[in-house]
């Protein structure tokens, strides 16, 4: 009997030792079997000398999809918004251009809403075999309309889902005003969109807007009486939404920016049927902290159990930094995360609104993955991936407690940036852009987690 207890004790001791062993040190490395040394470069969406900016990456069947905008003019960085082409790129899982997708791997729309200019895609989802992609374009009256594209597996517009394969999204109560879409979520059989509407009641300023559409793309009038919630109560300020969650409760959490004396990152919580949830924050909104005299943007939101995690930027007197905030469901900052609910990351992340997005994902172990960019010693930006623990500290077992950075993806010794991140087949995929020597090229990095050297 004593021997039996001894054996059991040894087994328990071994199990305890195994469970208490430190986690492995890991780093991200490019998968050399993918594309050219771990990087796939997509063809130009428009003019071969114009720049491309993908804003989202999706896994779609046996393809990888990038979506964003290209350029109809030879400007390299496409600063002329009138030249924007809404663009979708299809690549194989081995990193080659998928010539069977759309037109030699590229779908481009230079006339999304009938006005022939300012065409862009911000986000997308896979639904019923289709790619649904959301963004906007100018109409024939030179006003901005939200647009949803439905593409089938071949990269063609699916006219069985939407008329002409596209659905125009606007606020019917304010015809003739600007509408734009930056976020999409599929939930409860509906298509949820978030963005902004230029609202005539307040000096033509943008107001935050959420649309709920049925599967055919028409407004679901059971939501806020007409299918769209507009935050009219925010007052005489300009504001818009950049990302959206639809919670299991049916409530929506949206993040975006409010322009008052400065640009303030803001979180909204909306009731299932529309209208602000006044039990959240200050009457349904929370203004996130920023450095004294600085400004900020809230660009991405994710849910982690009972917490809401927001990613964006804050600026101080010398630099722009990526930032995370963690909130409880009632809108209070989580004091156990970072510094009083906020983690401001070291390093300068020089960025502009349209081209340099930030994306946050939560993995199955509750770790936060953040993608964006960092300025390197040469003054260029490198694509950067951070892994952050739930207590608001950089994961010490990931890239030695620092971000993993990657530069010169397209071979041009210039800027690189990651706008979106996804996981598939045990690998990490980042969609973004890289300077190839004369223009910004749309690229995908395939990265593998390996033991650190």
């Amino acid at each position: 009997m004593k021997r039996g207890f001894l054996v059991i004790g040894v087994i328990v001791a071994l199990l305890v030792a195994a469970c208490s062993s430190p986690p492995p040190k890991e780093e991200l490395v490019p998968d050399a079997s993918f594309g050219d040394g771990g990087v796939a470069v997509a063809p130009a969406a428009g003019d071969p000398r114009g720049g491309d900016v993908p804003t989202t990456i999706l896994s779609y069947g046996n393809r990888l999809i990038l979506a964003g905008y290209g350029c109809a003019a030879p400007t390299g960085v496409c600063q002329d918004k009138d030249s924007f082409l809404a663009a979708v790129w299809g690549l194989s899982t081995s990193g080659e251009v998928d010539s069977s997708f759309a037109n030699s791997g590229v779908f481009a729309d230079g006339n999304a809403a009938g006005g022939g200019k300012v065409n862009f895609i911000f986000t997308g989802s896979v639904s019923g075999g289709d790619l649904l992609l959301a963004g906007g374009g100018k109409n024939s009256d030179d006003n901005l309309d939200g647009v949803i594209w439905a593409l089938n597996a071949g990269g063609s517009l699916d006219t069985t889902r939407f008329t002409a394969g596209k659905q125009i999204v606007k606020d019917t109560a304010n015809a003739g005003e600007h509408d734009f879409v930056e976020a999409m979520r599929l939930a409860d059989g509906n298509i949820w969109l978030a963005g902004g509407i230029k609202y005539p009641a307040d000096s033509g300023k943008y107001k935050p807007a959420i649309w709920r559409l049925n599967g055919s793309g028409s407004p679901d009038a059971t939501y806020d009486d007409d299918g769209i919630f507009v935050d009219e109560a925010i007052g005489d300020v300009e504001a818009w939404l950049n990302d959206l969650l639809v919670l299991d409760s049916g409530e929506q959490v949206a993040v975006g920016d409010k322009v008052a004396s400065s640009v303030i990152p803001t979180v909204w919580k909306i009731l299932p049927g529309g209208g602000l949830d006044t039990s959240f924050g200050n009457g349904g909104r929370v203004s996130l902290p920023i450095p004294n005299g600085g400004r900020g943007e809230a660009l991405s939101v994710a849910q982690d159990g009972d917490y809401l995690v927001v990613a964006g930027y804050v600026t101080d007197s010398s630099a722009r930094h990526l930032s995370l905030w963690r909130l409880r469901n009632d809108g209070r900052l989580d004091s156990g995360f970072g510094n009083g609910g906020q983690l401001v990351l070291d390093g300068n992340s020089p960025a502009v609104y349209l081209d340099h997005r930030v994306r946050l994902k939560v993995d199955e172990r509750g770790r936060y993955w953040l993608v964006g960019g960092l300025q390197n010693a040469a003054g260029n930006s490198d694509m950067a991936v951070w892994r952050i623990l739930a207590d608001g500290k950089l994961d010490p077992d990931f890239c030695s407690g620092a971000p993993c950075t990657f530069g010169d993806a397209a071979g041009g010794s210039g800027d690189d940036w990651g706008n979106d991140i996804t996981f598939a087949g045990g690998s990490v995929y980042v969609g973004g852009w890289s300077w190839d020597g004369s223009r910004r090229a749309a690229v995908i990095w395939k990265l593998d987690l390996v033991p650190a050297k």
Side-chain angles (χ1 to χ4, degrees):
M1 182 66 69
K2 289 182 178 179
R3 182 174 179 176
F5 281 123
L6 178 62
V7 171
I8 292 172
V10 169
I11 292 173
V12 170
L14 289 173
L15 288 173
V16 170
C19 292
S20 61
S21 61
K25 305 289 185 181
E26 298 175 312
E27 62 183 349
L28 286 176
V29 298
D31 184 338
S33 68
F34 179 80
D36 183 7
V39 178
V41 181
D47 191 295
R49 300 161 294 173
D52 293 322
V53 175
T55 52
T56 191
I57 183 171
L58 298 166
S59 178
Y60 177 46
N62 61 348
R63 291 192 181 100
L64 295 168
I65 296 293
L66 292 172
Y69 65 88
C71 195
T75 61
V77 294
C78 202
Q79 294 175 325
D80 180 8
K81 295 182 181 63
D82 283 352
S83 294
F84 282 6
L85 301 167
V88 185
W89 297 265
L91 294 98
S92 72
T93 53
S94 61
E96 306 298 323
V97 176
D98 186 347
S99 59
S100 67
F101 179 81
N103 182 12
S104 299
V106 182
F107 168 86
D109 189 351
N111 192 29
K117 56 186 178 181
V118 194
N119 308 280
F120 56 89
I121 294 170
F122 269 122
T123 186
S125 297
V126 178
S127 171
D130 276 343
L131 275 173
L132 296 185
L133 302 149
K138 284 286 188 76
N139 60 31
S140 57
D141 293 326
D142 208 37
N143 294 313
L144 197 63
D145 282 339
V147 180
I148 307 175
W149 294 259
L151 300 185
N152 59 29
S156 299
L157 289 165
D158 184 356
T159 56
T160 65
R161 182 182 285 264
F162 301 141
T163 302
K166 293 184 281 190
Q167 182 74 10
I168 305 300
V169 180
K170 60 179 70 179
D171 181 12
T172 55
N174 292 292
E177 295 297 330
H178 290 298
D179 308 80
F180 69 91
V181 172
E182 290 207 19
M184 171 192 288
R185 298 280 177 165
L186 304 181
D188 57 30
N190 291 287
I191 302 169
W192 292 84
L193 306 170
I197 293 175
K198 211 165 192 179
Y199 212 64
D202 287 310
S203 307
K205 295 176 179 176
Y206 279 108
K207 300 299 173 189
I210 295 175
W211 294 260
R212 187 168 80 183
L213 311 177
N214 60 36
S216 66
S218 59
D220 181 351
T222 64
Y223 178 71
D224 211 63
D225 295 329
D226 59 358
I228 180 171
F229 163 75
V230 182
D231 186 1
E232 302 175 45
I234 198 169
D236 190 20
V237 300
E238 193 155 43
W240 58 88
L241 304 178
N242 295 317
D243 200 9
L244 175 71
L245 286 177
V246 181
L247 305 179
D248 290 341
S249 64
E251 290 186 299
Q252 311 102 59
V253 175
V255 299
D257 305 324
K258 180 175 68 176
V259 183
S261 57
S262 181
V263 182
I264 303 168
T266 305
V267 185
W268 286 256
K269 195 171 187 182
I270 297 95
L271 296 169
L276 290 167
D277 180 351
T278 55
S279 69
F280 179 82
N282 183 13
R285 310 179 199 91
V286 172
S287 296
L288 298 174
I290 51 179
N292 292 334
R295 54 187 289 167
E297 297 175 43
L299 294 175
S300 186
V301 60
Q303 187 176 13
D304 179 19
D306 293 332
Y307 297 100
L308 302 168
V309 190
V310 181
Y313 296 104
V314 293
T315 60
D316 56 26
S317 58
S318 60
R320 196 175 199 195
H321 306 280
L322 271 68
S323 177
L324 271 74
W325 299 264
R326 193 162 86 158
L327 291 79
R328 300 180 182 274
N329 276 329
D330 61 3
R332 290 178 298 150
L333 285 166
D334 175 19
S335 59
F337 178 84
N339 183 13
Q342 180 179 16
L343 172 65
V344 177
L345 295 167
D346 291 335
N348 185 19
S349 291
V352 294
Y353 178 76
L354 285 172
D355 306 337
H356 305 71
R357 308 297 282 184
V358 170
R359 188 70 68 184
L360 170 70
K361 294 288 175 67
V362 181
D363 70 15
E364 71 282 353
R365 293 176 57 183
R367 301 173 301 190
Y368 307 151
W369 293 73
L370 180 67
V371 66
L374 274 178
Q375 190 173 63
N376 59 32
N380 301 317
S381 62
D382 288 338
M383 188 274 281
V385 181
W386 291 258
R387 196 169 76 187
I388 297 146
L389 302 178
D391 60 1
K393 296 178 182 177
L394 289 176
D395 187 341
D397 300 312
F398 179 77
C399 291
S400 301
C404 290
T405 58
F406 305 88
D408 304 335
S413 299
D415 288 340
D416 298 77
W417 198 272
N419 277 331
D420 196 8
I421 186 170
T422 192
F423 311 107
S427 293
V428 178
Y429 293 88
V430 173
W433 53 265
S434 176
W435 187 256
D436 72 0
S438 61
R439 59 182 292 276
R440 287 186 303 207
V443 300
I444 298 175
W445 288 264
K446 183 181 181 183
L447 306 168
D448 294 327
L449 267 174
V450 302
K453 296 177 179 178

